[in-house]
Amino acid sequence: MRIHALQTGTVAIKQRQRAGRGPGAARVAVTLADRRFTEPLPILAWLVEHPDGLILVDTGETAQAMQPGYFPAWNLYFRLGVREPVTPDEEVGPRIEALGFSPSEVRQVVMTHLHTDHAGGLHHFADSEILVAHTELGLATGRLAKVLGYLPHRWPAWFAPRAVELDGGPFGPFERSHALADGVTLVPTPGHTPGHLSVAVRTDERLVLLAGNTSYTQDLMLAGVADGVTTSPATDRETLRRIRALARSEPTVYLPTHDPDAPRRLEAMEAVGSPGAHPSR
Ligand SMILES: [Zn+2]
């Protein structure tokens, strides 16, 4: 089973978002007050060539996000906290075509969560089954959705994802899971959002964890540093602890969405903690 990294532009965020500080909900205020942006970080999505059909994990950002008025002006996070240059040919659809596939061939799209830089490319997948964790879908469609950084009014009109309950048996250190396809398992990784999930893919070589925003880099996962937008740093750290336990139990390639070193680790199938591991930022 081959996995491709698809980069849909870049995002710069506050340095305090990458490595948060402060208790509970106050972390968001600390993040926004930070004057320092990160360097442009990749916005990655992942295409899995599964024998039963293509599976896409996340859809990246849309070039529409560059248009004035795309983000709600009253939302301070979008006004102060994020810069996202994305061109139309960097969207996930053209990226899939560049690999010789068509977006309409994607059988299933799994969303790690529904923030804009993961859900921006949904409009390319009208023919696919789209899966979102039940908890995530509830928050992203609830009354506080836009305050929480979701843009439900930007989703395609046809968007009606399958709400997945992760109520299957344990997967390694994760108490619950959902078997999606042979060798592909969804695991709950709450923290960045309460309904965040990750996708474990057992390739011929290694276990690969397509990890969304569980952390911004592998080093931050290893150090157990919660991000600066979570409302529950303790939940975030518990998820990172489980990922470390998984990586100790068997060689695991850890691939978060915004880690500049993730495509290289995928190419090399480099597991967490492997002796030749290149330090990531
Ligand atoms: Zn996010």
Side-chain angles (χ1 to χ4, degrees), residues 17 113-118 192-193 196 213 216 227 229 258:
Q17 178 170 342
H113 64 301
L114 287 170
H115 280 162
T116 172
D117 54 328
H118 299 252
H192 178 71
T193 66
H196 190 284
N213 280 35
Y216 285 85
D227 76 24
V229 290
H258 304 295

